[in-house]
């Protein structure tokens, strides 16, 4: 056993001696010239909007002729003298709600569009797919018009890209001539179309 230990110690000494006597070799490294990298990105167009537009009209929308739900005025155009009835004078039956057939309500933000169109910008348009909103007891309201209001026109000259969208709103015009009952009117529908030329 003693001989084995001496043999191992002698071998270690010889190996250490040969390692120390071998000259050190420098590490080698090489870097390539710049390598071109390219990717081909597909063109995409993405539209986000809302499922439901739920607007509430107020007394100002109805012409501002009422306050707290009620209003009053004397008929000062008919009678002799004006504003007087002799029992046979017809009363002015023209509606005080003069804006009832063209009530406009704004939807500040209605859509967001992402596009990387290489040929230009993005256009947004609106369509009325069902103009009639039905209310209680046969009352109806009508969507007459949908137009861009923020921004106007609803278009940008350059594509917005895939991070920050093109955002805009619309103004919807209603006709309440047939809205004979107060309450909720439903059933109307519009669409928003985004296009990239």
């Amino acid at each position: 056993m003693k001989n084995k230990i001496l043999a191992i110690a002698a071998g270690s000494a010889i190996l250490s001696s040969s390692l120390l006597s071998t000259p050190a070799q420098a590490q080698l490294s090489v870097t390539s010239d710049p390598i071109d990298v390219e990717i081909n990105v597909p063109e995409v167009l993405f539209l986000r909007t809302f499922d439901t537009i739920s607007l509430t009209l107020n007394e100002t929308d109805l012409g501002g002729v009422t306050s707290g739900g009620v209003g009053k005025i004397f008929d000062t155009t008919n009678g002799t003298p004006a504003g007087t009835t002799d029992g046979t004078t017809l009363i002015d039956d023209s509606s005080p709600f003069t804006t009832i057939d063209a009530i406009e309500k704004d939807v500040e933000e209605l859509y967001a569009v992402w596009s990387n169109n290489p040929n230009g910008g993005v256009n947004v348009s609106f369509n009325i797919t069902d103009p009639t909103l039905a209310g209680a007891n046969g009352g109806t309201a009508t969507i007459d018009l949908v137009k861009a209001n923020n921004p106007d026109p609803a278009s940008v000259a350059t594509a917005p890209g895939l991070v920050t969208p093109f955002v805009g709103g619309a103004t919807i015009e209603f006709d309440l001539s047939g809205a004979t009952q107060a309450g909720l009117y439903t059933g109307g529908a519009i669409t928003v179309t985004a296009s990239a030329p």
Side-chain angles (χ1 to χ4, degrees), residues 4-188:
K4 283 185 181 179
I5 293 174
L6 288 174
I8 292 172
S12 294
I14 293 169
L15 183 59
S16 296
S17 170
S18 69
L19 286 176
L20 292 173
S21 63
T22 304
Q25 192 163 1
Q27 181 181 357
L28 299 179
S29 176
V30 63
T31 300
S32 73
D33 290 337
I35 301 169
D36 293 336
V37 178
E38 61 185 30
I39 58 172
N40 193 345
V41 179
E43 181 179 354
V44 293
L45 177 65
F46 190 92
L47 169 67
R48 178 177 290 149
T49 186
F50 293 99
D51 177 62
T52 302
I53 299 170
S54 182
L55 302 171
T56 299
L57 302 182
N58 56 42
E59 291 178 89
T60 301
D61 294 322
L62 300 181
V65 294
T66 60
S67 177
V70 296
K72 61 184 178 182
I73 192 171
F74 288 121
D75 182 346
T76 58
T77 57
N78 296 317
T80 304
T84 303
T85 180
D86 63 7
T88 63
T89 307
L90 301 178
I91 196 165
D92 180 5
D93 64 357
S94 61
S95 176
F97 303 100
T98 55
T99 61
I100 206 72
D101 60 347
I103 295 174
E104 292 189 344
K105 292 298 284 185
D106 290 337
V107 180
E108 196 63 30
E109 291 189 358
L110 180 57
Y111 60 85
V113 181
W114 290 261
S115 170
N116 60 356
N117 172 27
N119 300 317
V122 174
N123 298 313
V124 176
S125 59
F126 311 97
N127 187 45
I128 303 168
T129 55
D130 190 342
T132 304
L133 295 90
N137 298 321
T140 60
T142 305
I143 302 170
D144 282 348
L145 179 68
V146 182
K147 60 185 179 182
N149 72 350
N150 176 35
D152 182 15
S155 63
V156 288
T158 57
L162 305 182
V163 176
T164 303
F166 169 49
V167 176
T171 297
I172 304 175
E173 183 178 287
F174 297 94
D175 183 341
L176 300 188
S177 299
T180 55
Q181 299 285 322
L184 184 64
Y185 284 71
T186 62

